[in-house]
Amino acid sequence: MKGQSYVILAIVFVILISVFAVLNVGAVEVNYLFWSGSSPLIFVILFSVLLGCLLTTAVGSKKYIGLKRKNKQLEKQIETLTIELESNTESLNSENENER
């Protein structure tokens, strides 16, 4: 259900941005770092949204990769602790049998 909510919100967001961009088609003066130019506002809006999405995806991917790496480390730690617990349990059981 959580994934469906994100898809629905993404679709609503895309529709809102598209309507907003289509309503603003006039030419505007855009000042870049070292030059300026004129371009339709729809391109400026869509380019800004696209750049924001790309930056958000890059930051999210970095976080996701870090979490996957941490998850693998924790799974290895669980595996080693499980093996250690089994060996300690076996040695404890054999000690108990020897005492009887």
Side-chain angles (χ1 to χ4, degrees):
M1 186 67 183
K2 191 174 186 180
Q4 291 174 348
S5 300
Y6 288 135
V7 171
I8 291 170
L9 285 174
I11 291 171
V12 169
F13 181 71
V14 167
I15 290 171
L16 287 174
I17 294 297
S18 300
V19 168
F20 180 73
V22 169
L23 292 175
N24 292 292
V25 293
V28 293
E29 183 76 22
V30 180
N31 293 317
Y32 302 103
L33 292 176
F34 300 109
W35 72 94
S36 65
S38 179
S39 62
L41 185 56
I42 189 170
F43 290 145
V44 174
I45 292 170
L46 293 178
F47 179 73
S48 298
V49 169
L50 177 64
L51 189 61
C53 290
L54 290 175
L55 289 173
T56 303
T57 301
V59 171
S61 296
K62 183 180 183 277
K63 179 79 171 173
Y64 178 75
I65 290 169
L67 287 173
K68 280 192 74 130
R69 184 176 296 134
K70 182 70 173 175
N71 190 24
K72 285 183 182 180
Q73 289 174 351
L74 291 173
E75 285 176 351
K76 287 180 183 178
Q77 186 178 3
I78 287 172
E79 185 178 322
T80 57
L81 289 174
T82 302
I83 292 170
E84 184 179 330
L85 178 66
E86 288 173 354
S87 67
N88 288 341
T89 304
E90 289 174 4
S91 66
L92 185 62
N93 285 340
S94 66
E95 287 177 7
N96 286 341
E97 287 177 3
N98 290 339
E99 289 179 0
R100 290 182 192 171

